Amino acid sequence: MKIPYPISLQLLAISFKIHKNHFSTTAAATNTNLTTLFNKYFDRTDVYSWNSLIAELARGGDSCESLRAFSWMRKLDIKPNRSTFPCAIKSCSALFDLNSGKQAHQQALVFGFESDLFVSSALIDMYSKCGKLSNARVLFDEIPRRNIVTWTSLITGYVQNDDAHEALMVFKEFLFEKSEGNGEEVGTSVDSVAMISVLSACSRVSNKAVSEGVHGVAIKVGLDKVMGVENTLLDAYAKCGEVSLSRRVFDDMAEKDVVSWNSMIAVYAQNGLSTDAFEVFHGMLRAGGGKYNEVTMSTLLLACAHEGALRVGMCLHDQVIKMGYVNNVIMATSIIDMYCKCGQAEMARNAFDGMKEKNVRSWTAMIAGYGMHDRGLVKPPGYSLVELKGRVHVFLVGDKEHPQHEKIYKYLEELSVKLQEAGYVPNMASVLHDVDEEEKEMIVRVHSEKLAVAFGVMNSVPGSTIHVIKNLRVCGDCHTVIKLISKIVSREIIVRDAKRFHHFKDGLCSCGDYW
């Protein structure tokens, strides 16, 4: 490419855009000069010049212009080489442009570059981002010898398309191939980008054993001290409800960035440990761990919401205004949620009315605030999940479909006696008003989370932690019962409901009975 030293690729990229778009502005003379510059120094007959231009436009975020350059190159009948396609295909990915991606794929096939690892990896990424995972998988399976970029493209594709289990299966296939197929050590082939993608899948699966297994791989290949890996690992453990493990990862980090600090604050806030959340924030300020941002403020507002800390929340609201984040939709929604959960619907409404832009979450937060104590609202059916020995068990209210349902109800009857001895009185406020008192008591006894917890206690090793996921907010009666059960059976029980994590231990809950 015949470009003298003072002429940068970036300048030529700008010249190209002006040359193609013929801007009509007061700076017409400048545009003419840049066009002249492009015509003088850019060799339109040289494929390497075009490759450099396409890559520079793509790197600068000008994906449309990158594709236009690729199209213009082809119109001039310049034959592409293996370096032409990756950036052009990545531009299709950035635009989620499946049609252009398919055309680039077809041309790569025609010129014999489809099997090139960088081209095929870009194609897998493009099909994944466009939601065509079946195409991505077919292409992946046809590659005779894959590298870590190819594997990572497919794993990331499954994660981005909310199929974390399949992403982990692909990683398992990768480990098997490296250990059995060609004898190559995993550590020589896996990189931090791949590890972050796999740990992101762990975050979505929320399985402690899986997260620990991947953590072990990271340690084995020497990637456990890479900051991006540590940040993602922290989140993966948090999604399993393992706050102590998240904190251990955080404390072991040699260096922390703002993502690290925000992640740890969010873990405590989401688990109802508001005091710990603010302690980490103060530690962030003392350590100079990067200037706190809107994410930090949003997580702190969540901590206030879970604690009912109105005064602190109001101080944070003032700080948000000073920082200029008040028009940020996510931030404003956090403020509304905080005021609602602190019982200040009018202040929430003032914040809501002051929003320049509103999204679904903003409206949902405001509506939920008004309806928080309205028992007449229609709710979807509740269900609870508990995973034991690799199998997920689902329970509905009054469930009699589970193979062990008779044993579960018998065990609950035995627990009922111990609960009453501990002073338990059924709280039937969450049951419909048109049901008589005896029937109400029966209904609250068979809520799905009680069934899931009872099943977990019956079928797990004494002393082990029980993990339950509930699709709705845990009702007051179940919350009381699970607290007492945790003390009676000496177990830690972690329930993740629609609002937060609840850590039950020794008859207490991490939320302090405020949720």
Side-chain angles (χ1 to χ4, degrees):
M1 185 174 184
K2 50 180 185 181
I3 303 175
Y5 178 77
I7 308 299
S8 68
L9 273 173
Q10 189 175 17
L11 186 57
L12 278 176
I14 295 169
S15 305
F16 171 78
K17 288 190 283 185
I18 291 172
H19 181 80
K20 290 298 294 175
N21 291 292
H22 306 293
F23 293 128
S24 178
T25 69
T26 55
T30 303
N31 293 346
T32 301
N33 290 338
L34 285 172
T35 302
T36 302
L37 203 64
F38 178 79
N39 290 332
K40 182 177 181 180
Y41 292 110
F42 187 80
D43 187 350
R44 303 187 191 194
T45 64
D46 179 29
V47 66
Y48 297 101
S49 298
W50 284 104
N51 290 349
S52 299
L53 180 63
I54 292 166
E56 179 61 28
L57 289 165
R59 277 194 295 268
D62 295 317
S63 300
C64 286
E65 295 297 337
S66 179
L67 288 180
R68 284 179 186 171
F70 176 68
S71 176
W72 196 18
M73 168 190 164
R74 294 298 301 123
K75 286 177 182 177
L76 293 174
D77 205 27
I78 306 298
K79 184 179 179 181
N81 61 20
R82 67 184 296 269
S83 300
T84 308
F85 289 101
C87 286
I89 295 167
K90 285 177 183 177
S91 295
C92 299
S93 301
L95 296 168
F96 303 101
D97 188 345
L98 181 61
N99 289 332
S100 296
K102 285 183 174 180
Q103 290 174 21
H105 185 182
Q106 185 64 33
Q107 292 201 42
L109 189 64
V110 168
F111 287 100
F113 297 119
E114 185 194 36
S115 59
D116 179 88
L117 284 175
F118 290 101
V119 175
S120 57
S121 296
L123 285 169
I124 290 168
D125 179 65
M126 182 274 296
Y127 281 121
S128 299
K129 281 192 168 65
C130 294
K132 298 294 181 181
L133 278 171
S134 57
N135 298 57
R137 183 72 209 214
V138 168
L139 190 61
F140 177 84
D141 289 338
E142 289 175 351
I143 300 172
R145 187 174 177 83
R146 310 164 185 126
N147 66 2
I148 190 58
V149 178
T150 317
W151 285 97
T152 304
S153 296
L154 188 63
I155 291 168
T156 304
Y158 279 118
V159 173
Q160 291 170 342
N161 284 272
D162 295 323
D163 195 347
H165 284 91
E166 192 60 34
L168 291 170
M169 290 303 294
V170 172
F171 183 60
K172 185 177 179 181
E173 184 182 340
F174 163 77
L175 295 176
F176 179 79
E177 181 175 295
K178 294 303 175 186
S179 62
E180 300 293 332
N182 53 25
E184 183 182 0
E185 283 292 326
V186 173
T188 63
S189 56
V190 71
D191 59 16
S192 60
V193 178
M195 193 56 62
I196 288 170
S197 292
V198 176
L199 285 168
S200 296
C202 293
S203 296
R204 289 162 172 79
V205 170
S206 302
N207 184 301
K208 179 186 175 184
V210 173
S211 297
E212 286 180 326
V214 176
H215 187 183
V217 174
I219 293 171
K220 181 179 179 181
V221 300
L223 294 172
D224 57 310
K225 297 303 178 184
V226 176
M227 190 184 297
V229 173
E230 290 174 308
N231 286 340
T232 317
L233 179 63
L234 188 159
D235 181 64
Y237 279 133
K239 291 297 193 299
C240 304
E242 296 293 338
V243 177
S244 59
L245 290 178
S246 290
R247 184 58 193 251
R248 189 183 303 169
V249 172
F250 179 78
D251 288 340
D252 287 346
M253 294 178 72
E255 294 182 14
K256 302 177 179 72
D257 61 7
V258 68
V259 175
S260 315
W261 290 99
N262 285 347
S263 297
M264 197 64 242
I265 294 168
V267 169
Y268 281 130
Q270 289 161 359
N271 284 274
L273 303 168
S274 303
T275 302
D276 295 297
F278 278 98
E279 283 181 2
V280 173
F281 175 60
H282 293 147
M284 177 184 185
L285 298 179
R286 289 193 300 270
K291 183 176 174 61
Y292 62 89
N293 55 22
E294 63 269 31
V295 177
T296 319
M297 301 303 288
S298 183
T299 54
L300 291 173
L301 284 164
L302 177 63
C304 292
H306 283 170
E307 190 73 17
L310 178 61
R311 286 188 179 182
V312 179
M314 291 173 69
C315 291
L316 288 172
H317 188 180
D318 290 339
Q319 185 63 20
V320 166
I321 294 171
K322 291 177 184 176
M323 294 172 71
Y325 293 145
V326 72
N327 291 324
N328 180 301
V329 177
I330 296 174
M331 182 63 67
T333 303
S334 298
I335 291 168
I336 293 166
D337 182 63
M338 181 273 295
Y339 280 132
C340 287
K341 287 178 179 171
C342 290
Q344 301 295 322
E346 187 176 341
M347 297 178 79
R349 183 57 191 257
N350 290 338
F352 179 79
D353 291 339
M355 292 178 69
K356 291 184 178 180
E357 293 182 25
K358 300 177 179 70
N359 62 11
V360 174
R361 293 185 66 180
S362 314
W363 284 97
T364 302
M366 194 65 248
I367 293 168
Y370 278 131
M372 199 167 284
H373 304 290
D374 185 350
R375 301 298 176 188
L377 292 177
V378 177
K379 298 192 297 184
Y383 64 83
S384 297
L385 310 176
V386 60
E387 183 175 352
L388 283 175
K389 299 173 183 176
R391 291 189 60 190
V392 176
H393 300 262
V394 184
F395 295 91
L396 301 174
V397 177
D399 203 323
K400 292 188 177 181
E401 296 297 320
H402 194 276
Q404 293 189 36
H405 72 270
E406 291 182 357
K407 292 181 180 179
I408 293 169
Y409 287 120
K410 185 178 179 181
Y411 182 66
L412 280 173
E413 285 295 327
E414 295 171 4
L415 277 177
S416 179
V417 175
K418 296 179 181 179
L419 288 168
Q420 290 174 16
E421 290 174 354
Y424 164 66
V425 177
N427 176 359
M428 294 170 283
S430 59
V431 185
L432 296 174
H433 295 293
D434 57 352
V435 178
D436 63 48
E437 293 302 311
E438 186 176 350
E439 189 173 350
K440 283 182 180 179
E441 185 173 347
M442 180 55 66
I443 291 173
V444 295
R445 282 187 186 180
V446 293
H447 274 185
S448 65
E449 52 267 59
K450 290 191 181 80
L451 301 178
V453 168
F455 174 80
V457 173
M458 291 166 53
N459 292 275
S460 58
V461 179
S464 61
T465 302
I466 298 165
H467 294 262
V468 174
I469 298 175
K470 174 73 185 287
N471 70 318
L472 303 177
R473 179 178 177 272
V474 173
C475 79
D477 184 75
C478 288
H479 192 269
T480 300
V481 168
I482 298 172
K483 279 199 304 180
L484 292 172
I485 290 176
S486 72
K487 186 173 184 179
I488 291 168
V489 301
S490 300
R491 296 287 198 98
E492 182 176 1
I493 302 169
I494 300 174
V495 178
R496 180 182 179 181
D497 71 2
K499 297 294 182 182
R500 64 188 296 163
F501 281 94
H502 296 265
H503 294 253
F504 299 94
K505 189 175 182 180
D506 298 327
L508 300 173
C509 180
S510 60
C511 73
D513 298 336
Y514 189 94
W515 79 103

